[in-house]
Amino acid sequence: METVDEAATCATHRPGTTRPRADALRNRERIVTAAREMFVEFGPDVPLDEVARRAGVGNATLYRNFPDRAALTHEVVLAVTCRTTDRAQEAATAESDPFAALSRFVHAAADERIGALCPMLSGGFDKDHPELLAERRRLEEAVEGLVERAMSAGRLRTDIAVGDVLVALSQLTRPLPGIACPGIDRFTHRHLQLFLDGLRAPARSELPGSAATLEDLRRGR
């Protein structure tokens, strides 16, 4: 689970803005953390008063920070995207083996619950907000760097593209709120490792269709 300090680095203090008081910042981050957890567990339509209850704040505090669901969803998407980008950059720095760096990122992104973005992105908020576009580009560039290095080193099969990694990652980590499969999350890292084994070079099969590029993903939004 993320801490208030970790989340604060991604989603609360914008350049050119006055930094809020420490107690106000803590409340805001508690709300974002609680919303992120509950969106994963129950879907993006969870009652906001339940989010406030889990965050340990009153409804008035929640609405003072986020006047509507769209504003809260925006902040959660921004926070998840930012933290996932940080995991990609950390993996590139920590691992000298390019494929190990890619693998480290994939498993770390699963822990950030990046798949939870999928149902959130279907909501009625501005997906083309400049903040979100900038953070998405930062994530794409970080993952693209991991893929290119692994491919250049001959460790990654050459018939895939960055979009394939992001699509598989989002699908394999997408939460299924309300299903009668308790404990299904314990299989996530197991299935991600099967996916990663399929990415290794030399390729052991011929993939149908064409590689999914970032442009394909943008057109499909």
Side-chain angles (χ1 to χ4, degrees):
M1 183 183 298
E2 71 187 290
T3 66
V4 170
D5 287 343
E6 287 175 325
T9 62
C10 282
T12 57
H13 185 51
R14 299 343 186 234
T17 63
T18 301
R19 188 171 183 83
R21 298 193 323 268
D23 57 341
L25 183 62
R26 283 193 295 271
N27 284 339
R28 184 178 179 87
E29 288 314 311
R30 287 191 185 103
I31 294 167
V32 173
T33 299
R36 176 172 168 260
E37 293 171 355
M38 297 193 78
F39 288 171
V40 168
E41 294 173 27
F42 305 108
D45 296 323
V46 64
L48 295 187
D49 59 341
E50 293 295 328
V51 173
R53 185 173 294 111
R54 178 171 293 195
V57 302
N59 287 351
T61 299
L62 186 149
Y63 286 108
R64 185 162 58 248
N65 283 278
F66 305 104
D68 54 32
R69 183 180 299 276
L72 179 56
T73 303
H74 170 98
E75 198 73 12
V76 172
V77 171
L78 191 65
V80 172
T81 306
C82 174
R83 286 171 57 83
T84 304
T85 303
D86 290 346
R87 301 294 86 80
Q89 295 173 339
E90 289 166 6
T93 301
E95 301 287 349
S96 58
D97 181 320
F99 195 88
L102 178 62
S103 299
R104 179 179 178 138
F105 161 70
V106 166
H107 285 289
D111 289 336
E112 293 298 338
R113 309 305 296 265
I114 190 174
L117 292 179
C118 298
M120 280 189 267
L121 290 173
S122 65
F125 76 107
D126 185 6
K127 304 175 187 64
D128 295 320
H129 189 285
E131 278 186 322
L132 296 178
L133 290 178
E135 199 54 56
R136 190 179 71 213
R137 282 193 294 270
R138 200 168 73 93
L139 174 60
E140 290 172 350
E141 289 170 1
V143 180
E144 198 164 29
L146 291 172
V147 168
E148 288 176 352
R149 283 192 291 275
M151 201 172 286
S152 296
R155 302 295 311 283
L156 183 68
R157 61 190 298 164
T158 58
D159 56 349
I160 64 104
V162 180
D164 290 306
V165 175
L166 293 176
V167 168
L169 184 55
S170 66
Q171 292 295 327
L172 289 171
T173 62
R174 183 180 299 197
L176 301 172
I179 63 171
C181 296
I184 195 171
D185 286 349
R186 67 191 177 95
F187 298 112
T188 297
H189 288 286
R190 179 181 177 87
H191 295 161
L192 284 173
Q193 192 57 50
L194 288 171
F195 163 66
L196 286 164
D197 286 348
L199 291 181
R200 292 182 185 275
R204 297 186 178 183
S205 63
E206 183 176 343
L207 294 176
S210 57
T213 67
L214 291 176
E215 283 304 315
D216 291 330
L217 299 190
R218 290 169 188 148
R219 286 196 297 269
R221 285 190 300 119

